[in-house]
Amino acid sequence: MAKKRAKRPVAKKKIKPGKAVAATPKPASANGVDVQREVEQFLFRQAEILDGRRWGDYIGLFAENGFYWMPASPEQTTGEGMPSIFYEDRDLMTVRMKRLTHPHAWSQSPLWGTSHLVSNVTVEKQDPRNGDVVVRSRFHMMEFRRETSRHFAGSYVHHLQRSAGGYRITLQRVDMVNGQGPYDYVLQAWV
Amino acid sequence: MPRDNGLDLRGLVEPDRVHRRVYADPHVFDLEMDSIFHKVWIYVGHGSQVPKPGDYYTAQVGRQPMIMVRHTDGKVHVLYNRCPHRGAMMCGARHGNVGKAFMCSYHSWQFDTDGKVRSIPLVQGYEGTRRSPEDPDCSMKPAARVESYRGFVFASLAKDGPTLTEFLGEAKIGFDDMCDRAPEGEVEIVPNCFRVIQHSNWKIFLENQLDALHPAVTHEAAGRAAFDVEKDIERRTGKAPLYYHYLSAFTTPMSKWDQFQTVNYPNGHCLLQGYMGLRPRDPDTLAYEAVMRKHYGAKRAEEILSVNIHHVLLYPGLSVQSPLQQLRAVRPLGVDRTLTEIWHFRLKGAPEAIYRRSLGYYNLVNSPATLINADDLENFWKCHQGLASDGGDWVSFHRNAGQDDEENGVIKSRLGTSEAPMRNQFRAWIGMMASGR
């Protein structure tokens, strides 16, 4: 045991305090339209559709080439070629919907419901040419299934395409704070 | 008859049926930890999880928290996650790199990456006491035995017993089939572990792995949903991605599952033949097969590619799905709670398109948002509820009992839906549980 003590690893980078963040972001607006209010209404409506188990309407919020993505870990920057908890285009979302609505989806027989709260909505990017936006928000979801409640919380990043009929999702990224812990049972529907 | 707390173990297991207490009795679970999980070879992890010296990964062996770590000489060690000074856990994170030495966060004892004590602060305080820092019990305790097979690391907490290859026997084909499919003959883990807890006894999960009677029933909804969308995509574009077939294969009617044989080995290991037809003739597969022929020669490549396995179950805690490079480690948490740790692998030297197949299965079937296991876990919970009740004492494994072919201790069921794999698992179970009693 005559060895030298191993040095403790030390943080190499000095951490400096960051610059102050503007308390109030610039109001997002395009041609006089209140974009902040529009995207909030879109996110709230999406949550209502999900809690109402209106699976078809939910898929309809996505663009034809849209993806719902929950990465396996927060560092991931793409779902292509990487493990994901969900990485679903509209076709795979349709498989999920059809399973959920099949009379023999056995795990659907106990009483099951969710309640989503969406908040901290920030418009991060806005394309002045076409009105497309990237929106960050936070969510909290409570699920009740067979006498048991579960809670999931985290962030959403929505890439929204502006079209005549309103926004459509080209990519929804979901990162759950408790997404990497062991799952007590599984996730049957989108969060 | 030897007894433990009034338990007549041999009375609980008959060749074609078992008593519900083997699943639902917490005392049986305690005995299983001691007689099975703390004795036989338990899978710890794959060497590629810890590529560099100092890399570690924690794993549960039975009830024991262990650390798999790569030592400076390149060897993988498995140590108890415990400081020999006052008992504090050494590694609080699931994985990481400790550098040159483990250091206890309580009093700063340090250990080399093979567990040997390296330094103790103010070591002169031990002079003239009954404890010398040179004592082996001043070092981190290693697992009694550690062996690996083709990179898959196992530990046994018992000093004596068969070697790993003796224990696996012919069932090592699960690892061989997975690794041989790599042009370079090796697999590499994809560093992501999905973990799912089921509210049921661990044996219910193992039995389900080779239960060819259940897919058409349990997975009817998911199979049908995928089948409909697969057909729709074919109408639109001519061809659906292969991963739809992983799911739509579950629409195979119950009667067809009899075509697939099961092979049942000593020590509870079993194998179910493949049913998904994973050797399509598309350009990606043909390109991969060309690479395989280049590495192995035409004859050997053909031998490897024509192996047709769905699952190999390595009793008591591992399910290997070799053709899709999936691995599920079963960690019993309690009599009615079981954790599965789910991994997948890359075939070294194989084209990216072949990895994408493995990934597709991992995401759709094995992720926590699984389209398949949602209904399995529901059934496991229901089974456990029923087995904990007084509604009946016996679980039936009578299907095709007495109609299997046995040769040199290996039992082949003529029919896929035979309950031979369950009978075989309990043959091993009672052997391990009642040995020495």
Side-chain angles (χ1 to χ4, degrees), chain A residues 1-9 72-73 76 79-89 91-92 94-99 102-110 145-146 179-188, chain B residues 101 103 108 110 112 117-120 123 133-134 190 192 194-197 199 217-218 220-222 224-226 228-229 233 236 243-244 337 339 344 355-356 359 362-364 367-371 374-375 377-378 381:
Chain A
M1 208 196 52
K3 278 189 196 160
K4 249 175 68 184
R5 287 183 62 75
K7 277 188 199 154
R8 292 191 205 186
S73 74
Q76 280 173 240
E80 270 313 301
M82 306 283 276
S84 297
I85 297 168
F86 291 84
Y87 188 55
E88 298 184 356
D89 60 9
D91 283 329
L92 277 173
T94 305
V95 175
R96 190 171 291 280
M97 171 180 75
K98 283 177 173 259
R99 187 194 86 83
H102 192 283
H104 291 168
W106 311 111
S107 61
Q108 284 288 298
S109 63
R145 178 177 180 270
R146 185 182 280 133
Q180 288 188 286
Y183 284 75
D184 206 325
Y185 193 61
V186 298
L187 301 167
Q188 297 194 66
Chain B
M103 188 190 81
S108 194
Q110 289 193 352
D112 289 330
V117 65
R118 177 187 178 102
S119 82
I120 296 173
V123 71
E134 308 302 324
V190 179
N192 180 73
F194 287 141
R195 292 179 292 161
V196 176
I197 292 169
H199 290 244
V217 187
T218 304
E220 180 191 350
R224 176 52 58 182
D228 288 353
V229 175
I233 297 174
R236 281 178 356 233
Y243 50 77
Y244 280 90
R337 272 166 70 82
L339 171 72
H344 73 303
Y355 167 63
R356 295 295 179 102
L359 177 65
Y362 189 67
N363 284 349
L364 292 173
S367 94
T370 167
L371 288 158
D375 293 310
L377 266 56
E378 174 74 5
W381 177 81

Side-chain angles (χ1 to χ4, degrees), chain B residues 183 280-294 349-351 353-354 357:
Chain B
R281 303 282 79 200
D282 62 302
D284 289 337
T285 312
L286 297 177
Y288 161 64
E289 293 193 356
V291 179
M292 287 291 281
R293 282 194 296 274
K294 206 175 134 210
I354 299 302
R357 290 183 184 169

Side-chain angles (χ1 to χ4, degrees), chain B residues 42-103:
Chain B
I42 301 293
Y43 177 69
V44 179
H46 191 266
S48 58
Q49 277 168 257
V50 288
K52 295 189 299 292
D55 283 350
Y56 73 89
Y57 231 102
T58 60
Q60 194 84 5
V61 174
R63 284 180 164 142
Q64 306 308 316
M66 310 299 286
I67 307 169
M68 174 173 79
V69 58
R70 187 162 307 264
H71 188 42
T72 36
D73 66 0
K75 210 178 142 198
V76 172
H77 292 258
V78 177
L79 310 168
Y80 285 79
N81 191 359
R82 178 188 187 279
C83 179
H85 175 214
R86 297 271 277 274
M89 180 182 271
M90 292 298 301
C91 296
R94 286 188 65 225
H95 56 93
N97 183 292
V98 294
K100 283 194 179 130
F102 289 103
M103 188 190 81

Side-chain angles (χ1 to χ4, degrees), chain A residues 92-136:
Chain A
L92 277 173
M93 292 178 82
T94 305
V95 175
R96 190 171 291 280
M97 171 180 75
K98 283 177 173 259
R99 187 194 86 83
L100 286 167
T101 52
H102 192 283
H104 291 168
W106 311 111
S107 61
Q108 284 288 298
S109 63
L111 176 65
W112 179 62
T114 58
S115 173
H116 284 76
L117 291 181
V118 183
S119 180
N120 307 14
V121 180
T122 313
V123 178
E124 295 216 318
K125 269 190 210 157
Q126 198 175 340
D127 190 329
R129 290 165 305 173
N130 51 24
D132 293 358
V133 288
V134 177
V135 183
R136 177 178 289 279

Side-chain angles (χ1 to χ4, degrees), chain A residues 23-170:
Chain A
T24 324
K26 272 188 239 161
S29 68
N31 305 325
V33 182
D34 185 348
V35 174
Q36 175 73 24
R37 192 181 141 72
E38 269 190 357
V39 296
E40 281 179 1
Q41 290 302 309
F42 180 87
L43 299 185
F44 298 162
R45 203 167 72 244
Q46 186 189 26
E48 277 303 303
I49 288 171
L50 195 50
D51 291 335
R53 307 167 63 113
R54 290 154 50 199
W55 313 124
D57 291 344
Y58 189 82
I59 297 171
L61 297 173
F62 286 76
E64 287 305 321
N65 59 351
F67 268 85
Y68 178 92
W69 178 37
M70 187 187 290
S73 74
E75 310 83 63
Q76 280 173 240
T77 53
T78 172
E80 270 313 301
M82 306 283 276
S84 297
I85 297 168
F86 291 84
Y87 188 55
E88 298 184 356
D89 60 9
R90 284 181 47 137
D91 283 329
L92 277 173
M93 292 178 82
T94 305
V95 175
R96 190 171 291 280
M97 171 180 75
K98 283 177 173 259
R99 187 194 86 83
L100 286 167
T101 52
H102 192 283
H104 291 168
W106 311 111
S107 61
Q108 284 288 298
S109 63
L111 176 65
W112 179 62
T114 58
S115 173
H116 284 76
L117 291 181
V118 183
S119 180
N120 307 14
V121 180
T122 313
V123 178
E124 295 216 318
K125 269 190 210 157
Q126 198 175 340
D127 190 329
R129 290 165 305 173
N130 51 24
D132 293 358
V133 288
V134 177
V135 183
R136 177 178 289 279
S137 59
R138 289 268 159 189
F139 70 90
H140 188 121
M141 185 264 262
M142 190 275 250
E143 176 207 77
F144 182 75
R145 178 177 180 270
R146 185 182 280 133
E147 325 283 319
T148 313
S149 304
R150 294 194 296 179
H151 293 265
F152 294 98
S155 68
Y156 289 147
V157 176
H158 284 76
H159 293 245
L160 300 177
Q161 191 176 57
R162 206 180 170 83
S163 66
Y167 287 120
R168 291 181 97 195
I169 303 166
T170 50

